[in-house]
Amino acid sequence: MRKKTFYLIGSISCLCWIVIVCYLFVHKPPGKIIKLKDVNYQVEQLEKDLKGQLNSNKILINNLRSLKRKLSGTGKEIKSYSYDDTIAVLLFSCNRVTVRRNLDQLLKYRPDATSFPIIVSQDCGHEPTRKVLQSYGDQITLIRHPDLSDIPLVGKEKKFKGYYKIARHYAWALNQTFNVFNYNTVIIVEDDLDIAPDFFEYFRATYQILASDPTLWCVSAWNDNGKEGLIADNSADTLYRSDFFPGLGWMMTKNVWLEIADKWPKAFWDDWIRQPAQRKERACIRPEVSRTKTFGKVGVSNGLFFEKHLKFIKLNEQFVPFTKYNLTYLLKDNYDDWFIKTVYGSPSVTVQDLASGRLDGNGPVRLTYRSKVNFKTIAKAFRLMDDFKSGVPRTGYRGVVPFMFRNRRVYLAPPPDWKGYDTS
Ligand SMILES: *[C@@H]1O[C@H](CO)[C@@H](O)[C@H](O)[C@H]1NC(C)=O
Ligand SMILES: *[C@@H]1O[C@H](CO)[C@@H](O)[C@H](O)[C@H]1NC(C)=O
Protein backbone atom coordinates (compact mmCIF):
# COMPACT_ATOMS: atom_id res chain seq x y z
CA MET A 1 0.00 0.00 0.00
CA ARG A 2 2.70 2.43 1.05
CA LYS A 3 4.67 1.68 -2.09
CA LYS A 4 1.71 2.61 -4.23
CA THR A 5 1.24 5.96 -2.49
CA PHE A 6 4.92 6.63 -2.87
CA TYR A 7 4.82 5.98 -6.62
CA LEU A 8 1.71 8.09 -6.99
CA ILE A 9 3.28 11.08 -5.25
CA GLY A 10 6.45 10.55 -7.28
CA SER A 11 4.58 10.54 -10.58
CA ILE A 12 2.58 13.64 -9.68
CA SER A 13 5.76 15.48 -8.70
CA CYS A 14 7.41 14.51 -11.98
CA LEU A 15 4.40 15.65 -13.94
CA CYS A 16 4.27 18.98 -12.14
CA TRP A 17 7.96 19.48 -12.75
CA ILE A 18 7.62 18.74 -16.49
CA VAL A 19 4.67 21.14 -16.78
CA ILE A 20 6.60 23.90 -15.04
CA VAL A 21 9.68 23.38 -17.18
CA CYS A 22 7.59 23.36 -20.39
CA TYR A 23 5.84 26.50 -19.30
CA LEU A 24 9.10 28.27 -18.65
CA PHE A 25 10.49 27.22 -22.01
CA VAL A 26 7.45 28.11 -24.08
CA HIS A 27 6.41 31.20 -22.26
CA LYS A 28 8.22 34.31 -23.31
CA PRO A 29 7.24 37.81 -22.38
CA PRO A 30 5.19 39.12 -25.31
CA GLY A 31 6.70 41.68 -27.59
CA LYS A 32 10.18 41.49 -26.18
CA ILE A 33 12.95 41.36 -28.75
CA ILE A 34 16.09 39.71 -27.50
CA LYS A 35 19.02 41.96 -28.10
CA LEU A 36 22.53 40.68 -28.66
CA LYS A 37 23.73 43.04 -25.96
CA ASP A 38 21.41 41.41 -23.42
CA VAL A 39 22.59 37.98 -24.38
CA ASN A 40 26.19 39.02 -24.02
CA TYR A 41 25.43 40.53 -20.68
CA GLN A 42 23.70 37.39 -19.50
CA VAL A 43 26.52 35.18 -20.70
CA GLU A 44 28.98 37.37 -18.82
CA GLN A 45 26.87 37.17 -15.70
CA LEU A 46 26.66 33.42 -16.03
CA GLU A 47 30.42 33.21 -16.46
CA LYS A 48 30.91 35.34 -13.36
CA ASP A 49 28.52 33.19 -11.36
CA LEU A 50 30.25 30.03 -12.49
CA LYS A 51 33.65 31.41 -11.55
CA GLY A 52 32.32 32.45 -8.18
CA GLN A 53 30.91 28.96 -7.74
CA LEU A 54 34.24 27.41 -8.70
CA ASN A 55 36.07 29.52 -6.12
CA SER A 56 33.52 28.66 -3.45
CA ASN A 57 34.03 24.99 -4.22
CA LYS A 58 37.78 25.34 -3.89
CA ILE A 59 37.31 27.09 -0.56
CA LEU A 60 34.95 24.38 0.62
CA ILE A 61 37.36 21.60 -0.34
CA ASN A 62 40.17 23.32 1.49
CA ASN A 63 38.08 23.79 4.58
CA LEU A 64 37.38 20.07 4.55
CA ARG A 65 41.05 19.29 4.05
CA SER A 66 42.05 21.52 6.90
CA LEU A 67 39.46 19.90 9.14
CA LYS A 68 40.84 16.49 8.23
CA ARG A 69 44.33 17.68 9.09
CA LYS A 70 43.16 18.89 12.48
CA LEU A 71 41.43 15.62 13.23
CA SER A 72 44.43 13.51 12.27
CA GLY A 73 46.63 15.42 14.73
CA THR A 74 50.34 16.19 14.54
CA GLY A 75 53.26 14.37 15.99
CA LYS A 76 56.76 15.34 16.95
CA GLU A 77 58.39 13.08 14.40
CA ILE A 78 59.14 14.01 10.81
CA LYS A 79 55.96 14.54 8.90
CA SER A 80 55.74 12.29 5.91
CA TYR A 81 54.18 13.78 2.85
CA SER A 82 50.56 13.04 2.33
CA TYR A 83 48.35 14.33 -0.38
CA ASP A 84 46.40 16.36 2.15
CA ASP A 85 49.41 18.59 2.40
CA THR A 86 48.44 20.80 -0.45
CA ILE A 87 50.94 23.58 -1.00
CA ALA A 88 49.42 26.60 -2.70
CA VAL A 89 51.56 28.64 -5.05
CA LEU A 90 50.81 32.34 -4.77
CA LEU A 91 52.06 34.37 -7.71
CA PHE A 92 52.15 38.15 -7.34
CA SER A 93 51.38 40.08 -10.46
CA CYS A 94 50.93 43.74 -11.25
CA ASN A 95 51.60 45.29 -14.63
CA ARG A 96 54.12 43.03 -16.34
CA VAL A 97 52.71 40.91 -19.14
CA THR A 98 55.92 38.86 -18.90
CA VAL A 99 54.21 37.12 -15.98
CA ARG A 100 53.46 34.59 -18.72
CA ARG A 101 57.08 33.49 -18.65
CA ASN A 102 56.87 32.55 -14.98
CA LEU A 103 53.41 31.06 -15.23
CA ASP A 104 54.33 28.86 -18.18
CA GLN A 105 57.23 27.44 -16.18
CA LEU A 106 55.12 26.85 -13.10
CA LEU A 107 52.63 24.92 -15.22
CA LYS A 108 55.35 23.04 -17.05
CA TYR A 109 57.22 21.84 -13.96
CA ARG A 110 54.30 21.35 -11.60
CA PRO A 111 53.90 17.60 -10.99
CA ASP A 112 50.14 17.85 -10.56
CA ALA A 113 47.46 20.46 -10.09
CA THR A 114 46.01 18.99 -6.90
CA SER A 115 49.11 19.21 -4.73
CA PHE A 116 50.17 22.61 -6.06
CA PRO A 117 47.17 24.78 -6.92
CA ILE A 118 48.22 28.13 -8.37
CA ILE A 119 46.66 31.38 -7.21
CA VAL A 120 47.60 34.49 -9.13
CA SER A 121 46.89 37.74 -7.35
CA GLN A 122 46.87 40.83 -9.50
CA ASP A 123 47.31 44.31 -8.18
CA CYS A 124 47.51 47.53 -10.23
CA GLY A 125 44.46 46.87 -12.44
CA HIS A 126 46.65 46.67 -15.55
CA GLU A 127 44.36 45.52 -18.35
CA PRO A 128 46.90 43.84 -20.71
CA THR A 129 48.29 41.81 -17.80
CA ARG A 130 44.79 40.82 -16.75
CA LYS A 131 44.09 39.58 -20.29
CA VAL A 132 47.23 37.45 -20.20
CA LEU A 133 46.22 35.97 -16.85
CA GLN A 134 42.65 35.32 -17.96
CA SER A 135 43.93 33.41 -20.97
CA TYR A 136 45.04 30.67 -18.54
CA GLY A 137 41.42 29.89 -17.75
CA ASP A 138 40.90 27.43 -14.94
CA GLN A 139 44.55 26.36 -14.80
CA ILE A 140 44.92 29.13 -12.26
CA THR A 141 42.74 30.84 -9.67
CA LEU A 142 42.87 34.51 -10.51
CA ILE A 143 42.12 36.94 -7.71
CA ARG A 144 42.32 40.69 -7.96
CA HIS A 145 43.35 43.10 -5.27
CA PRO A 146 40.23 45.18 -4.67
CA ASP A 147 42.07 48.15 -3.16
CA LEU A 148 43.73 50.09 -5.96
CA SER A 149 43.47 53.39 -4.11
CA ASP A 150 46.35 55.80 -3.97
CA ILE A 151 48.58 55.77 -0.89
CA PRO A 152 49.22 59.38 0.14
CA LEU A 153 52.86 59.89 1.07
CA VAL A 154 54.80 63.03 1.79
CA GLY A 155 58.33 64.21 1.08
CA LYS A 156 61.02 61.58 0.69
CA GLU A 157 58.58 58.72 1.19
CA LYS A 158 56.88 59.54 -2.13
CA LYS A 159 59.44 57.73 -4.19
CA PHE A 160 58.83 54.55 -2.20
CA LYS A 161 55.16 54.31 -3.13
CA GLY A 162 55.81 51.10 -5.03
CA TYR A 163 57.03 49.42 -1.86
CA TYR A 164 53.93 50.55 0.02
CA LYS A 165 51.68 49.09 -2.65
CA ILE A 166 53.58 45.81 -2.66
CA ALA A 167 53.26 45.47 1.12
CA ARG A 168 49.52 46.20 0.94
CA HIS A 169 49.05 43.67 -1.84
CA TYR A 170 51.02 41.00 0.03
CA ALA A 171 48.92 41.43 3.15
CA TRP A 172 45.68 41.12 1.23
CA ALA A 173 46.69 38.17 -0.95
CA LEU A 174 48.25 36.19 1.90
CA ASN A 175 45.14 36.70 3.97
CA GLN A 176 43.09 35.41 1.04
CA THR A 177 45.31 32.38 0.62
CA PHE A 178 45.35 31.38 4.27
CA ASN A 179 42.04 32.62 5.62
CA VAL A 180 39.68 32.50 2.66
CA PHE A 181 41.04 29.64 0.54
CA ASN A 182 42.25 28.10 3.78
CA TYR A 183 45.51 26.66 2.53
CA ASN A 184 47.96 25.62 5.18
CA THR A 185 51.18 26.27 3.31
CA VAL A 186 52.14 28.64 0.54
CA ILE A 187 55.02 29.14 -1.88
CA ILE A 188 55.34 32.80 -2.78
CA VAL A 189 56.66 33.78 -6.19
CA GLU A 190 56.78 37.04 -8.09
CA ASP A 191 56.14 37.67 -11.74
CA ASP A 192 59.78 38.06 -12.77
CA LEU A 193 61.16 34.68 -11.73
CA ASP A 194 62.48 31.77 -13.74
CA ILE A 195 62.26 28.49 -11.85
CA ALA A 196 64.32 25.30 -11.91
CA PRO A 197 62.94 21.94 -13.11
CA ASP A 198 63.01 20.58 -9.54
CA PHE A 199 61.41 23.65 -7.98
CA PHE A 200 58.35 21.72 -6.80
CA GLU A 201 60.34 18.63 -5.82
CA TYR A 202 62.54 20.82 -3.63
CA PHE A 203 59.63 22.43 -1.83
CA ARG A 204 57.69 19.21 -1.41
CA ALA A 205 60.69 17.50 0.20
CA THR A 206 61.69 20.38 2.45
CA TYR A 207 58.08 20.93 3.49
CA GLN A 208 58.43 17.92 5.78
CA ILE A 209 61.43 19.49 7.48
CA LEU A 210 59.75 22.89 7.75
CA ALA A 211 56.66 21.35 9.29
CA SER A 212 58.72 19.33 11.79
CA ASP A 213 61.16 21.93 13.07
CA PRO A 214 59.87 24.98 14.96
CA THR A 215 63.28 26.66 14.61
CA LEU A 216 62.64 26.94 10.88
CA TRP A 217 60.18 29.45 9.46
CA CYS A 218 60.82 29.38 5.75
CA VAL A 219 62.26 27.47 2.86
CA SER A 220 63.71 29.58 0.09
CA ALA A 221 64.73 28.69 -3.45
CA TRP A 222 67.37 31.39 -3.47
CA ASN A 223 71.08 31.59 -2.73
CA ASP A 224 72.17 35.23 -2.41
CA ASN A 225 75.74 34.16 -3.18
CA GLY A 226 74.74 31.69 -5.87
CA LYS A 227 77.03 33.06 -8.56
CA GLU A 228 79.09 30.88 -10.86
CA GLY A 229 82.44 30.23 -9.17
CA LEU A 230 81.06 30.82 -5.67
CA ILE A 231 79.07 27.58 -5.71
CA ALA A 232 80.43 24.07 -5.93
CA ASP A 233 80.17 22.03 -9.14
CA ASN A 234 77.91 18.99 -8.84
CA SER A 235 76.33 20.34 -5.68
CA ALA A 236 72.76 20.67 -6.90
CA ASP A 237 71.66 18.51 -3.95
CA THR A 238 73.43 20.58 -1.27
CA LEU A 239 71.13 22.41 1.16
CA TYR A 240 71.84 24.68 4.11
CA ARG A 241 70.18 26.41 7.00
CA SER A 242 70.36 30.20 6.88
CA ASP A 243 69.59 32.88 9.45
CA PHE A 244 69.13 35.31 6.59
CA PHE A 245 65.66 35.40 5.08
CA PRO A 246 66.34 35.12 1.33
CA GLY A 247 62.85 35.54 -0.19
CA LEU A 248 62.70 35.17 -3.99
CA GLY A 249 60.60 32.03 -4.18
CA TRP A 250 59.89 30.97 -0.61
CA MET A 251 57.54 28.82 1.41
CA MET A 252 55.87 29.49 4.75
CA THR A 253 53.10 27.94 6.79
CA LYS A 254 49.88 29.45 8.03
CA ASN A 255 51.17 29.42 11.62
CA VAL A 256 53.88 31.89 10.73
CA TRP A 257 51.43 34.04 8.84
CA LEU A 258 48.99 34.14 11.74
CA GLU A 259 51.84 35.22 13.96
CA ILE A 260 52.95 38.17 11.81
CA ALA A 261 49.79 39.18 9.94
CA ASP A 262 48.49 41.63 12.50
CA LYS A 263 51.67 43.66 12.60
CA TRP A 264 52.42 43.47 8.87
CA PRO A 265 54.24 46.69 7.87
CA LYS A 266 53.12 49.38 5.44
CA ALA A 267 56.28 49.07 3.33
CA PHE A 268 59.59 47.19 2.99
CA TRP A 269 58.11 43.97 4.30
CA ASP A 270 61.24 41.94 3.48
CA ASP A 271 63.57 43.99 5.65
CA TRP A 272 60.91 44.07 8.34
CA ILE A 273 60.51 40.31 8.36
CA ARG A 274 64.28 40.00 8.94
CA GLN A 275 64.11 41.98 12.19
CA PRO A 276 64.64 40.03 15.44
CA ALA A 277 61.06 40.71 16.59
CA GLN A 278 59.74 38.76 13.61
CA ARG A 279 62.50 36.25 13.00
CA LYS A 280 62.83 35.17 16.62
CA GLU A 281 66.12 33.41 15.81
CA ARG A 282 64.47 31.11 13.32
CA ALA A 283 66.20 30.00 10.15
CA CYS A 284 65.32 29.17 6.57
CA ILE A 285 66.48 26.33 4.36
CA ARG A 286 68.21 27.44 1.18
CA PRO A 287 69.98 25.61 -1.64
CA GLU A 288 73.57 25.88 -2.81
CA VAL A 289 72.33 26.32 -6.39
CA SER A 290 69.33 28.63 -6.72
CA ARG A 291 66.00 27.25 -7.87
CA THR A 292 64.86 30.70 -8.96
CA LYS A 293 66.44 33.48 -10.91
CA THR A 294 65.00 36.89 -11.55
CA PHE A 295 64.77 37.98 -15.16
CA GLY A 296 63.06 41.30 -14.66
CA LYS A 297 65.25 44.28 -14.20
CA VAL A 298 62.49 46.82 -14.64
CA GLY A 299 60.73 46.86 -11.35
CA VAL A 300 60.32 48.62 -8.10
CA SER A 301 63.79 47.87 -6.83
CA ASN A 302 66.47 49.49 -8.90
CA GLY A 303 68.03 48.02 -11.98
CA LEU A 304 71.51 48.51 -10.60
CA PHE A 305 71.16 45.64 -8.15
CA PHE A 306 70.12 43.44 -11.05
CA GLU A 307 73.08 44.45 -13.19
CA LYS A 308 75.58 44.05 -10.36
CA HIS A 309 74.33 40.87 -8.72
CA LEU A 310 71.08 39.23 -9.63
CA LYS A 311 71.87 38.51 -13.23
CA PHE A 312 74.94 36.45 -12.26
CA ILE A 313 73.04 34.01 -10.09
CA LYS A 314 73.13 30.52 -11.55
CA LEU A 315 69.80 28.77 -11.97
CA ASN A 316 69.89 25.05 -11.27
CA GLU A 317 69.26 22.90 -14.33
CA GLN A 318 69.59 19.42 -12.94
CA PHE A 319 66.57 17.65 -11.43
CA VAL A 320 67.39 16.43 -7.92
CA PRO A 321 64.90 13.86 -6.55
CA PHE A 322 64.82 15.49 -3.11
CA THR A 323 61.73 13.61 -1.96
CA LYS A 324 63.76 10.39 -2.16
CA TYR A 325 66.50 11.83 0.06
CA ASN A 326 66.76 11.71 3.82
CA LEU A 327 66.84 15.40 4.73
CA THR A 328 66.71 15.01 8.50
CA TYR A 329 70.25 16.37 8.71
CA LEU A 330 68.64 19.80 8.24
CA LEU A 331 66.81 19.59 11.57
CA LYS A 332 68.47 21.94 14.04
CA ASP A 333 69.66 19.33 16.51
CA ASN A 334 71.36 17.31 13.80
CA TYR A 335 72.58 20.25 11.76
CA ASP A 336 74.18 22.49 14.38
CA ASP A 337 76.50 19.81 15.72
CA TRP A 338 77.66 18.92 12.25
CA PHE A 339 77.92 22.55 11.15
CA ILE A 340 79.97 23.75 14.12
CA LYS A 341 82.29 20.74 13.96
CA THR A 342 82.79 21.18 10.22
CA VAL A 343 83.34 24.93 10.28
CA TYR A 344 85.52 25.18 13.37
CA GLY A 345 87.25 21.91 12.66
CA SER A 346 88.51 23.35 9.37
CA PRO A 347 92.01 24.84 9.41
CA SER A 348 92.12 28.59 9.85
CA VAL A 349 93.68 30.49 6.93
CA THR A 350 94.17 34.09 5.81
CA VAL A 351 93.05 35.86 2.67
CA GLN A 352 96.70 35.88 1.56
CA ASP A 353 96.96 32.09 2.00
CA LEU A 354 93.95 31.64 -0.26
CA ALA A 355 94.99 34.20 -2.85
CA SER A 356 98.54 32.86 -3.14
CA GLY A 357 97.35 29.34 -3.83
CA ARG A 358 100.00 27.92 -1.49
CA LEU A 359 97.55 25.80 0.54
CA ASP A 360 97.85 22.03 0.37
CA GLY A 361 95.08 19.78 -0.87
CA ASN A 362 91.59 21.06 -1.49
CA GLY A 363 89.87 20.46 1.86
CA PRO A 364 87.62 23.04 3.48
CA VAL A 365 89.18 26.01 5.26
CA ARG A 366 88.03 28.77 7.58
CA LEU A 367 88.52 32.48 7.12
CA THR A 368 87.88 34.57 10.23
CA TYR A 369 86.23 38.00 10.31
CA ARG A 370 86.20 40.06 13.50
CA SER A 371 83.86 42.96 12.72
CA LYS A 372 81.27 44.08 10.21
CA VAL A 373 83.82 46.28 8.49
CA ASN A 374 86.24 43.40 8.32
CA PHE A 375 83.52 41.16 6.88
CA LYS A 376 82.70 43.70 4.18
CA THR A 377 86.32 43.99 3.07
CA ILE A 378 86.71 40.24 2.74
CA ALA A 379 83.30 39.78 1.12
CA LYS A 380 84.11 42.37 -1.54
CA ALA A 381 87.40 40.65 -2.32
CA PHE A 382 85.58 37.39 -3.01
CA ARG A 383 82.55 38.86 -4.86
CA LEU A 384 80.23 37.91 -1.98
CA MET A 385 77.25 40.00 -0.95
CA ASP A 386 78.64 42.31 1.72
CA ASP A 387 75.53 43.75 3.35
CA PHE A 388 73.87 42.97 6.67
CA LYS A 389 70.18 43.06 7.53
CA SER A 390 69.40 43.19 11.23
CA GLY A 391 73.00 42.14 11.83
CA VAL A 392 72.86 39.02 9.65
CA PRO A 393 75.05 38.69 6.55
CA ARG A 394 73.37 37.18 3.48
CA THR A 395 73.28 33.34 3.63
CA GLY A 396 74.83 33.49 7.11
CA TYR A 397 74.18 30.75 9.66
CA ARG A 398 75.54 31.44 13.13
CA GLY A 399 77.44 34.23 11.40
CA VAL A 400 79.11 31.81 8.98
CA VAL A 401 78.96 32.38 5.21
CA PRO A 402 79.99 29.33 3.16
CA PHE A 403 81.27 29.79 -0.40
CA MET A 404 83.65 28.26 -2.92
CA PHE A 405 87.00 29.68 -3.93
CA ARG A 406 89.03 27.90 -6.62
CA ASN A 407 87.06 24.71 -5.99
CA ARG A 408 87.71 24.79 -2.30
CA ARG A 409 85.05 25.20 0.37
CA VAL A 410 85.66 28.31 2.46
CA TYR A 411 83.77 29.24 5.61
CA LEU A 412 83.86 32.96 6.25
CA ALA A 413 83.27 32.75 9.99
CA PRO A 414 83.31 34.79 13.19
CA PRO A 415 85.62 33.60 15.99
CA PRO A 416 84.53 30.34 17.70
CA ASP A 417 83.28 32.18 20.80
CA TRP A 418 80.55 33.89 18.72
CA LYS A 419 77.74 35.12 20.97
CA GLY A 420 75.07 36.10 18.47
CA TYR A 421 74.33 38.78 15.89
CA ASP A 422 74.99 42.44 16.54
CA THR A 423 71.64 43.92 15.55
CA SER A 424 72.63 47.52 16.30
C1 LIG B 1 41.08 38.49 5.93
O1 LIG B 1 40.00 37.96 5.17
C2 LIG B 1 38.81 37.82 5.88
C3 LIG B 1 37.81 37.14 4.99
O2 LIG B 1 37.61 37.87 3.80
C4 LIG B 1 38.32 39.19 6.33
O3 LIG B 1 37.15 39.07 7.08
C5 LIG B 1 39.41 39.85 7.17
O4 LIG B 1 39.04 41.17 7.51
C6 LIG B 1 40.73 39.88 6.42
N1 LIG B 1 41.75 40.36 7.28
C7 LIG B 1 42.56 41.34 6.93
C8 LIG B 1 43.57 41.75 7.94
O5 LIG B 1 42.48 41.90 5.86
C1 LIG C 1 67.63 9.60 8.15
O1 LIG C 1 68.89 9.89 8.65
C2 LIG C 1 69.01 9.88 10.06
C3 LIG C 1 70.41 10.27 10.42
O2 LIG C 1 70.68 11.58 9.98
C4 LIG C 1 68.63 8.53 10.60
O3 LIG C 1 68.68 8.54 12.03
C5 LIG C 1 67.24 8.16 10.14
O4 LIG C 1 66.93 6.86 10.57
C6 LIG C 1 67.15 8.24 8.64
N1 LIG C 1 65.78 8.02 8.23
C7 LIG C 1 65.47 7.17 7.27
C8 LIG C 1 64.02 7.06 6.96
O5 LIG C 1 66.29 6.54 6.68
Side-chain angles (χ1 to χ4, degrees):
M1 251 358 226
R2 266 198 187 161
K3 244 186 189 169
K4 253 191 185 164
T5 321
F6 179 75
Y7 282 129
L8 194 69
I9 292 173
S11 317
I12 291 170
S13 312
C14 275
L15 206 67
C16 287
W17 188 74
I18 290 166
V19 169
I20 290 169
V21 169
C22 286
Y23 175 79
L24 287 178
F25 261 103
V26 172
H27 182 82
K28 278 187 202 134
K32 186 170 176 196
I33 301 158
I34 301 169
K35 292 192 194 123
L36 199 58
K37 238 166 92 187
D38 293 342
V39 174
N40 272 343
Y41 176 74
Q42 280 175 16
V43 169
E44 264 170 32
Q45 281 303 312
L46 191 67
E47 205 182 316
K48 254 191 197 161
D49 289 352
L50 284 176
K51 276 200 177 138
Q53 191 66 47
L54 206 67
N55 271 353
S56 316
N57 286 349
K58 282 182 187 167
I59 291 167
L60 190 69
I61 288 172
N62 283 312
N63 285 341
L64 288 174
R65 281 212 180 107
S66 120
L67 188 68
K68 193 173 160 201
R69 264 196 306 272
K70 275 189 195 130
L71 292 176
S72 59
T74 52
K76 279 255 172 232
E77 70 282 8
I78 280 286
K79 269 182 71 99
S80 59
Y81 188 84
S82 85
Y83 279 83
D84 287 336
D85 296 324
T86 308
I87 302 176
V89 177
L90 175 58
L91 167 58
F92 283 92
S93 159
C94 167
N95 58 5
R96 292 190 276 213
V97 291
T98 48
V99 64
R100 181 182 284 285
R101 177 161 158 178
N102 175 277
L103 207 37
D104 285 346
Q105 291 175 25
L106 286 173
L107 291 168
K108 178 177 166 194
Y109 294 133
R110 175 171 76 161
D112 65 282
T114 321
S115 4
F116 296 102
I118 298 172
I119 301 174
V120 184
S121 183
Q122 197 201 353
D123 198 6
C124 313
H126 189 245
E127 193 61 22
T129 305
R130 187 167 72 94
K131 288 245 163 67
V132 168
L133 295 173
Q134 281 174 332
S135 75
Y136 285 86
D138 62 5
Q139 289 178 286
I140 61 172
T141 300
L142 178 58
I143 56 176
R144 280 191 278 160
H145 190 197
D147 185 0
L148 301 180
S149 65
D150 187 40
I151 301 175
L153 297 168
V154 287
K156 272 191 193 163
E157 288 296 290
K158 270 188 192 151
K159 65 169 181 283
F160 299 127
K161 192 171 280 181
Y163 292 99
Y164 281 80
K165 290 201 168 158
I166 288 172
R168 182 172 70 177
H169 185 200
Y170 262 71
W172 179 80
L174 284 167
N175 184 39
Q176 290 286 306
T177 306
F178 287 123
N179 294 327
V180 178
F181 288 98
N182 231 332
Y183 288 113
N184 207 36
T185 313
V186 68
I187 300 170
I188 292 155
V189 284
E190 295 192 16
D191 60 357
D192 61 346
L193 289 181
D194 283 330
I195 63 167
D198 56 357
F199 179 86
F200 291 99
E201 177 78 3
Y202 169 65
F203 281 111
R204 181 182 275 184
T206 50
Y207 166 73
Q208 302 173 23
I209 306 296
L210 179 66
S212 317
D213 183 347
T215 67
L216 286 171
W217 70 325
C218 106
V219 175
S220 168
W222 182 252
N223 175 3
D224 270 298
N225 286 320
K227 294 174 190 162
E228 200 91 44
L230 291 178
I231 50 179
D233 295 335
N234 306 317
S235 60
D237 58 354
T238 305
L239 306 179
Y240 294 91
R241 290 174 70 102
S242 169
D243 292 324
F244 190 92
F245 171 83
L248 288 167
W250 59 287
M251 173 165 70
M252 83 168 152
T253 61
K254 186 172 181 173
N255 289 342
V256 172
W257 173 247
L258 292 179
E259 187 192 305
I260 61 178
D262 286 343
K263 48 178 183 169
W264 190 256
K266 291 205 176 324
F268 310 111
W269 68 266
D270 48 348
D271 285 344
W272 171 85
I273 213 170
R274 291 172 179 136
Q275 293 167 2
Q278 281 67 253
R279 187 167 80 82
K280 297 185 178 153
E281 303 195 350
R282 287 172 293 191
C284 298
I285 294 173
R286 58 108 183 156
E288 168 97 344
V289 190
S290 282
R291 262 62 183 184
T292 50
K293 180 183 167 83
T294 150
F295 61 77
K297 66 174 182 179
V298 210
V300 172
S301 51
N302 65 41
L304 199 69
F305 195 63
F306 179 85
E307 285 301 325
K308 268 185 84 177
H309 299 290
L310 302 181
K311 79 172 185 188
F312 297 110
I313 299 292
K314 184 178 152 61
L315 179 67
N316 179 57
E317 287 161 6
Q318 185 193 333
F319 186 97
V320 176
F322 282 115
T323 56
K324 308 227 157 50
Y325 290 8
N326 183 352
L327 298 179
T328 54
Y329 69 89
L330 289 164
L331 297 171
K332 187 177 174 64
D333 290 345
N334 304 332
Y335 191 86
D336 285 12
D337 274 356
W338 167 82
F339 190 76
I340 292 167
K341 264 186 213 140
T342 306
V343 171
Y344 292 98
S346 301
S348 173
V349 299
T350 64
V351 174
Q352 290 72 28
D353 292 337
L354 277 169
S356 70
R358 63 176 170 238
L359 296 169
D360 294 334
N362 60 357
V365 294
R366 176 165 48 98
L367 202 53
T368 303
Y369 69 91
R370 297 183 187 279
S371 67
K372 281 186 182 172
V373 176
N374 189 204
F375 177 89
K376 275 178 187 285
T377 311
I378 300 173
K380 280 205 179 80
F382 289 97
R383 289 193 306 140
L384 298 165
M385 299 298 292
D386 64 355
D387 57 338
F388 290 80
K389 304 276 186 190
S390 292
V392 186
R394 288 182 192 264
T395 76
Y397 190 64
R398 304 178 64 91
V400 180
V401 172
F403 67 99
M404 296 299 288
F405 180 69
R406 294 184 190 156
N407 295 321
R408 181 196 295 276
R409 173 65 63 195
V410 182
Y411 297 105
L412 180 51
D417 62 351
W418 182 78
K419 294 281 187 306
Y421 293 105
D422 168 13
T423 57
S424 64

